[in-house]
């Protein structure tokens, strides 16, 4: 794709904090951003050039987004497939494309793709009935994590079954919807790699981050993670295989388990910028948001080497009330999302504490 000229317009489906930070990065490179999001006061609406307030399946609104933009991207993976079809039919390039999104929307399709692409995962089985869930759990050794195939996020839509017998009850508690039954990953720690691919196939991966989750929500990331160089190369190879396998354009977040024996398994992929990549805003010359905008705009990818060590802490709910103290910390950079209401567990902002390498 011919590089977009500064002054061109980029569309984003979704106006949450990721859309807000993407829009800010795009503006710094001279682009205008149009956001489509049903929420009139969404975080991105206050930093973008134009906000189309409409549902993601509103065909007329999608057409007007397509007409206004040279390329359209997304800030969340659960965009209805039909929305992308409307955009593409209207002639606007969409990155990442429908295949990457549909793969990431369904945990069974996702893990099936990953294994085919040479990116190892835990053993898993699909199940659509309580009986199938019991059989899957028994086949995987009894204790399993059961997740809804679709629409889960931040640890929602998943629960452990301690025995195969319990799998039926867990299946019902998740709404008796199609699920994936996963073998437990005995991980030493959770890592992630954020990588990008351009329209021309060029790829670049940021250094690994080490992540700490509580109740399924990311609390802290620390980067660059301390890993053997061979392990870092292995993670990069995995990222390259996934990006190439999906013919992907843009930034992708890849969550990894590091097992006790050092092997890496992929937990899941997020076809977008990722919370565990927020450290790059203060740790690399090009952050993940700018990298994504560069990729979708057909610009060269920017440098990804760490220039600092960063400890990122998510500010959930009332954590955000600590902003005066955080603002006074000399090595802390505060990133707030402009959300009006600090509901419990809601991602309100994050702080990057920056240290020399
Ligand atoms: P997910 O929604 O798939 O990202 O899962 C949320 C969190 O649950 C992960 O970050 C892990 O801490 C944990 N988790 C997910 N899958 C597994 C698994 N198969 N074995 C052990 N822990 C898991």
């Amino acid at each position: 794709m011919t590089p977009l000229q500064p002054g061109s317009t980029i569309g984003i489906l979704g106006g949450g904090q990721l859309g807000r930070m993407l829009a800010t990065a795009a503006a710094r490179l001279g682009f205008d951003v149009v956001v489509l999001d049903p929420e009139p006061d969404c975080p991105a609406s206050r930093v973008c050039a134009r906000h189309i307030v409409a549902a993601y399946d509103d065909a007329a609104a999608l057409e007007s987004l397509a007409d206004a933009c040279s390329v359209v991207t997304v800030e969340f993976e659960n965009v209805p497939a039909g929305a992308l079809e409307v955009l593409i039919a209207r002639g606007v390039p969409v990155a990442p494309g429908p295949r990457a999104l549909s793969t990431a929307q369904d945990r069974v399709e996702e893990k099936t793709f990953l294994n085919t692409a040479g990116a190892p995962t835990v053993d898993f089985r699909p199940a659509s009935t309580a009986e199938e869930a019991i059989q899957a759990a028994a086949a995987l050794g009894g204790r399993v994590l059961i997740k809804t195939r679709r629409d889960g996020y931040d640890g929602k839509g998943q629960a452990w079954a301690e025995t195969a017998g319990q799998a039926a009850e867990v299946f019902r508690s998740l709404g008796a919807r199609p699920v994936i039954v996963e073998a437990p990953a005995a991980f030493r720690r959770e890592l992630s790699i954020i990588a990008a691919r351009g329209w021309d196939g060029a790829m670049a991966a940021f250094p690994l981050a080490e992540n700490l989750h509580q109740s399924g929500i990311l609390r802290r990331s620390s980067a660059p993670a301390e890993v053997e160089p061979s392990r870092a190369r292995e993670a990069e190879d995995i990222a390259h295989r996934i990006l190439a396998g999906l013919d992907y354009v843009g930034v992708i977040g890849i969550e990894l388990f590091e097992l006790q024996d050092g092997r890496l398994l992929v937990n899941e992929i997020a076809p977008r910028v990722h919370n565990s990549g927020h450290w790059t805003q203060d740790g690399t010359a090009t952050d993940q948001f700018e990298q994504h905008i560069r990729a979708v705009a057909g610009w060269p990818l920017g440098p990804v080497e760490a220039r600092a060590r960063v400890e990122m802490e998510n500010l959930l709910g009332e954590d955000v009330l600590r902003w005066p103290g955080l603002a006074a910390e000399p090595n802390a950079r505060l990133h707030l999302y402009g959300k009006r209401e600090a509901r419990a567990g809601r991602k309100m902002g994050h702080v990057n504490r920056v240290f020399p390498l």
Side-chain angles (χ1 to χ4, degrees):
M1 144 151 166
T2 327
L4 292 189
Q5 294 294 316
S8 310
T9 301
I10 296 177
I12 305 178
L13 288 177
Q17 67 268 18
L18 300 178
R20 178 179 170 109
M21 291 184 276
L22 284 168
T24 308
R28 202 168 57 78
L29 297 181
F31 295 113
D32 284 342
V33 167
V34 182
V35 164
L36 188 151
D37 187 298
E39 176 58 51
D41 196 30
C42 65
S45 69
R46 280 164 279 131
V47 304
C48 64
R50 183 178 153 212
H51 176 200
I52 301 174
V53 184
Y56 296 115
D57 58 0
D58 179 331
L62 289 163
E63 285 176 359
S64 97
L65 178 72
D67 293 347
C69 297
S70 301
V71 66
V72 174
T73 188
V74 300
E75 64 124 39
F76 69 112
E77 55 270 45
N78 290 322
V79 176
L84 299 191
E85 280 161 26
V86 172
L87 294 169
I88 291 166
R90 195 77 174 183
V92 70
V94 176
R99 166 133 182 267
L101 289 175
S102 65
T103 305
Q105 281 172 3
D106 181 315
R107 292 185 188 272
V108 172
E109 278 186 35
E110 179 181 45
K111 285 204 165 59
T112 305
F113 158 74
L114 288 167
N115 285 292
T116 318
T121 68
V122 290
D123 279 347
F124 66 94
R125 301 272 190 290
S128 300
T129 62
E131 189 52 38
E132 282 174 11
I134 294 173
Q135 282 166 8
L140 295 169
R143 183 167 188 268
V144 289
L145 185 55
I146 306 186
K147 305 174 178 174
T148 55
R149 281 177 69 150
R150 307 181 74 89
D151 298 331
Y153 68 99
D154 283 350
K156 294 188 176 65
Q158 55 181 270
W160 287 94
E162 295 304 322
T163 60
Q166 233 184 50
E169 190 185 315
V170 170
F171 174 81
R172 284 187 211 101
S173 77
L174 293 173
R177 291 188 285 159
V179 294
I180 185 170
V181 181
E182 293 187 6
F187 58 83
R188 178 159 63 189
R189 47 185 188 158
E190 293 190 73
L191 303 170
S192 59
I193 185 160
I194 310 295
R197 184 170 179 272
W199 291 98
D200 60 357
M203 294 191 256
F206 290 101
L208 285 159
E210 178 174 339
N211 305 315
L212 183 74
H213 293 86
Q214 277 166 8
S215 315
I217 303 184
L218 182 70
R219 289 310 316 240
R220 292 169 184 275
S221 291
S222 160
E226 280 183 33
V227 287
E228 300 284 319
S230 62
R231 195 72 60 214
R233 272 198 303 278
E234 187 187 333
E236 247 184 78
D237 285 348
I238 288 174
H240 284 192
R241 286 197 281 268
I242 293 171
L243 288 169
L246 291 172
D247 195 18
Y248 195 90
V249 176
V251 163
I252 195 168
I254 301 169
E255 296 181 20
L256 301 163
F257 296 132
E258 184 186 41
L259 303 184
Q260 301 296 351
D261 63 9
R263 276 185 306 136
L264 296 177
L265 298 182
V266 178
N267 174 33
E268 65 175 358
I269 55 177
R272 51 171 169 79
V273 286
H274 193 258
N275 196 165
S276 72
H278 291 358
W279 72 274
T280 59
Q281 290 172 308
D282 300 298
T284 56
T286 318
D287 68 37
Q288 64 164 348
F289 302 99
E290 176 175 339
Q291 192 75 307
H292 184 74
I293 296 298
R294 282 171 171 258
V296 303
W299 284 29
L301 299 179
V304 289
E305 295 76 31
R307 299 198 299 189
R309 188 170 67 77
V310 178
E311 304 278 343
M312 191 280 309
E313 179 193 347
N314 264 345
L315 302 174
L316 304 180
E318 295 200 338
D319 289 349
V320 72
L321 303 178
R322 286 166 32 216
W323 69 264
L326 295 169
E329 272 184 45
N331 64 338
R333 288 205 69 218
L334 192 54
H335 300 262
L336 300 179
Y337 308 149
K339 295 185 184 175
R340 310 281 189 205
E341 213 192 319
R343 290 195 295 273
R346 192 176 193 204
K347 290 176 178 169
M348 302 298 295
H350 63 274
V351 58
N352 282 336
R353 294 191 174 83
V354 186
F355 305 93
L357 269 181

